[in-house]
């Protein structure tokens, strides 16, 4: 699986740097190419000679070779690699990665890399738990980086707790899993509808009723589905996000009514629909043609209910179609999500609670619980919306498998 893959291994200065010798050996044994970049401090923990011998390439530390001035291009390295692994990632290095402090070759390469980045933190348990470290890790997740959780156990300090860098075998297995997933086209031939973003309900020519949805989750889903071979119809409310995958057909709408029309009229041709949009439940009964002028102290705008798009697709759904909903709750999250699952005839519902920090609208991360129609509950950790999309799409694939689709 890793045969011919090109990796940049960025080693920062932590005692776990010794594990990079084994990590490099394993990668090379799999047929991968490894370019090692070390920080100056990392050289104190493991010698450049060891790493150069195992990787079969000179290691890089400086921006240029002081002997002859040859430039070590971080841009070229960043473009060359299929993935970058930062291991061990110290608190200092993660802080720099999270904040763009580009004072060494490892960080400039990270900032230039277009490939997926895996980060394997290592540090003492108190440093690991410190809010600044946790915040930096959340930021890195929100950039779409893949955090490889450290293990708990005896640390170099003698303290016991979480902070041991994942073992080389675990890192290699996560890399394999990533590439297997990326390269398998398990949704080829499937047509999938995704609704995303908010809707805007016109009050008058200059005002609307809207919500804080950014569309990020729905767009991440569309990208993940498309990259796994599905033909995606993305019905999107107003959102400032670009889509570039050729498998995505994007239909821009503004109101709940338009979203409903575009979704319902296409549903019969779909194998699945994921209802990720934050659709307005009410719209003004009358949309004023002229700007409403300020008059009395109070103003009432009469609203009428919009179509519940998910519920209407749930009514039309055949046994061979999969319908997925989202629920954003602020109270009684589980009970409310279960009610929506039943009422809308969904195959599963993705619950995010606004009580969870880092979850919900506008953030780059999300923390979800998936409840399926058999009431099986799966809880997931806080992840980037890109990684959450992988979990949701995996669940969808399982549904197709269960219905023989
Ligand atoms: N939904 C929809 N059309 C609507 C309202 C909601 O398709 N008019 C979909 C959402 O895209 C989501 C699911 O229904 O997948 C649940 O949406 P949510 O707003 O959480 O629930 P509501 O049914 O609107 O209930 P409430 O607002 O009372 O919580």
């Amino acid at each position: 699986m890793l045969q011919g893959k090109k990796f940049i291994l960025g080693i920062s200065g932590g005692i776990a740097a010794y594990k990079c010798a084994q990590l490099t050996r394993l990668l090379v044994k799999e047929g991968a190419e490894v370019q090692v970049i070390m920080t100056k401090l990392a050289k104190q923990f493991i010698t450049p000679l060891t790493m150069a011998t195992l990787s079969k390439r000179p290691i890089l530390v400086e921006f240029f070779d002081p002997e002859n001035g040859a430039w070590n291009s971080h841009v070229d390295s960043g473009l060359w690699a299929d993935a970058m692994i930062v291991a061990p990632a110290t608190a200092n290095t993660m802080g720099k990665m999270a904040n763009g402090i580009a004072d060494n070759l490892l960080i400039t390469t990270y900032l230039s890399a277009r490939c997926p980045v895996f980060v394997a933190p290592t540090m003492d348990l108190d440093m690991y738990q410190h809010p600044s470290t946790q915040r930096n890790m959340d930021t890195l997740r929100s950039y779409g980086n893949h955090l490889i959780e450290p293990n708990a156990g005896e640390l170099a300090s003698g303290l016991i707790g979480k902070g041991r860098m994942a073992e080389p075998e675990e890192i290699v297995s996560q890399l394999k899993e990533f590439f297997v997933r990326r390269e398998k086209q398990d949704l080829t031939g499937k047509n999938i509808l995704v609704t995303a973003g908010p809707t805007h309900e016109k009050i008058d020519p200059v005002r609307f009723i809207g919500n804080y949805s950014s569309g990020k989750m729905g767009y991440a889903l569309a990208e993940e589905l498309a990259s796994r071979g599905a033909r995606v119809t993305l019905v999107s409310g107003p959102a400032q996000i670009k889509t570039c995958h050729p498998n995505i057909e994007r239909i821009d709408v503004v109101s709940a009514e338009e979203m409903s029309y575009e979704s319902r009229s296409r549903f019969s041709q779909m194998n699945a629909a994921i209802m990720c949009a934050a659709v307005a439940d009410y719209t003004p009964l009358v949309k004023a043609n002229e700007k409403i002028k300020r008059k009395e102290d109070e103003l009432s705008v009469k609203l009428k209910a919009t179509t519940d798009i998910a519920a209407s697709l749930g009514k039309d759904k055949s046994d061979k179609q999969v319908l997925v909903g989202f629920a954003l709750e602020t109270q009684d999250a589980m009970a409310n999500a279960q009610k929506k699952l039943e009422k809308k005839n969904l195959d599963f519902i993705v619950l995010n609670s606004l009580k969870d920090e880092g979850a919900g609208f506008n953030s780059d991360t999300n923390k979800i619980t998936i409840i399926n129609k058999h009431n099986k509950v799966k809880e997931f950790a806080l992840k980037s919306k890109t990684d959450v999309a992988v979990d949701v799409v995996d669940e969808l694939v399982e549904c197709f498998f269960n219905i023989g689709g």
Side-chain angles (χ1 to χ4, degrees):
M1 180 33 65
L2 300 181
Q3 176 75 36
K5 292 273 180 295
K6 302 188 193 84
F7 292 102
I8 291 172
L9 174 58
I11 309 179
S12 65
I15 182 66
Y18 78 89
K19 293 185 181 175
C20 288
Q22 174 68 351
L23 177 58
T24 305
R25 273 200 73 225
L26 292 175
L27 290 171
V28 170
K29 230 166 111 189
E30 293 279 341
E33 287 181 59
V34 182
Q35 174 62 64
V36 174
I37 298 179
M38 299 173 84
T39 63
K40 283 190 186 135
L41 192 58
K43 289 176 17 189
Q44 309 286 323
F45 287 96
I46 186 157
T47 72
L49 182 60
T50 305
M51 294 314 302
T53 309
L54 291 171
S55 67
K56 305 185 171 71
R57 284 168 171 266
I59 61 122
L60 305 174
V61 179
E62 306 286 352
F63 291 110
F64 59 89
D65 185 334
E67 297 287 304
N68 58 18
W71 183 247
N72 292 326
S73 170
H74 54 90
V75 177
D76 288 351
S77 303
L79 294 179
W80 168 82
D82 293 303
M84 178 169 184
I85 312 157
V86 183
T90 58
N92 182 41
T93 287
M94 288 199 292
K96 290 181 187 176
M97 289 167 74
N99 294 290
I101 300 172
D103 66 352
N104 65 39
L105 188 64
L106 192 161
I107 306 291
T108 51
T109 305
Y110 163 71
L111 294 175
S112 311
R114 290 192 191 160
C115 58
V117 180
F118 294 80
V119 183
T122 179
M123 68 203 72
D124 213 45
L125 79 163
D126 295 307
M127 280 177 91
Y128 183 72
Q129 278 164 3
H130 195 278
S132 69
T133 310
Q134 292 296 322
R135 193 188 55 225
N136 286 334
M137 291 200 303
D138 284 347
T139 305
L140 291 177
R141 281 191 194 97
S142 75
Y143 296 159
N145 300 154
H146 305 271
L147 269 283
I148 300 177
E149 288 282 306
N151 295 323
E154 190 178 345
L155 304 167
S157 60
L159 295 173
I160 298 191
K162 198 167 176 177
R164 286 170 63 95
M165 187 177 98
E167 295 306 317
E169 290 76 8
E170 292 174 289
I171 297 176
V172 170
S173 116
Q174 289 207 22
L175 292 170
K176 279 185 182 169
E177 204 180 299
F178 174 81
F179 283 106
V180 165
R181 189 172 267 151
R182 209 165 77 160
E183 283 163 24
K184 79 180 166 197
Q185 294 282 292
D186 51 1
L187 290 170
T188 304
K190 296 275 189 273
N191 292 316
I192 301 179
L193 177 91
V194 177
T195 64
T199 63
H200 288 180
E201 307 303 319
K202 181 179 168 182
I203 298 173
D204 70 11
V206 294
R207 304 181 182 94
F208 61 84
I209 300 173
N211 59 63
Y212 295 119
S213 169
S214 60
K216 284 176 186 163
M217 191 64 245
Y219 279 66
L221 280 165
E223 289 286 340
E224 176 64 18
L225 293 163
S227 73
R228 285 162 72 164
R231 271 196 306 275
V232 181
T233 305
L234 175 65
V235 180
S236 173
Q240 307 299 321
I241 311 176
K242 286 200 183 94
T243 35
C244 48
H245 201 291
N247 287 4
I248 303 177
E249 184 197 358
R250 174 169 165 177
I251 295 161
D252 287 311
V253 297
V254 177
S255 65
E257 194 187 336
E258 287 167 14
M259 185 173 277
S260 172
Y261 173 77
E262 300 295 350
S263 306
R264 291 170 67 191
S265 60
R266 286 174 170 78
F267 185 55
S268 63
Q269 297 125 48
M270 299 292 152
N271 300 98
I274 306 183
M275 315 310 287
C276 192
V279 190
D281 286 321
Y282 291 92
T283 192
L285 190 61
V286 179
K287 291 152 181 45
N289 286 329
E290 304 300 336
K291 187 179 169 201
I292 298 171
K293 288 299 200 193
R294 185 186 175 102
K295 285 183 207 128
E296 291 90 21
D297 282 350
E298 289 181 6
L299 171 76
S300 300
V301 178
K302 205 157 189 186
L303 305 176
K304 62 171 180 181
T306 56
T307 307
D308 185 331
I309 310 168
S312 94
L313 300 191
K315 281 204 186 92
D316 295 346
K317 183 168 80 98
S318 77
D319 292 348
K320 291 281 170 215
Q321 287 178 304
V322 179
L323 184 61
V324 180
F326 271 70
L328 180 66
E329 304 294 342
T330 56
Q331 56 183 357
D332 300 330
M334 275 301 257
N336 281 326
Q338 270 156 338
K339 265 188 223 153
K340 285 177 192 172
L341 176 78
E342 258 176 59
K343 195 176 135 205
K344 301 183 194 227
N345 192 23
L346 306 172
D347 290 271
F348 68 89
I349 193 157
V350 182
L351 162 68
N352 21 145
S353 168
L354 273 189
K355 295 259 154 64
D356 288 323
E357 212 175 299
F361 287 167
N362 247 321
S363 109
D364 289 318
T365 51
N366 206 356
K367 185 172 181 325
I368 61 159
T369 303
I370 291 181
I371 309 153
N372 77 8
K373 61 180 175 188
H374 308 296
N375 262 322
K376 199 168 149 205
V377 177
K378 290 185 194 167
E379 281 188 34
F380 296 83
L382 183 76
K383 297 181 180 186
S384 71
K385 285 188 172 167
T386 319
D387 284 346
V388 170
V390 175
D391 294 332
V392 174
V393 174
D394 281 348
E395 187 71 21
L396 176 69
V397 170
E398 214 174 300
C399 287
F400 281 134
F401 181 76
N402 290 337
I403 60 173

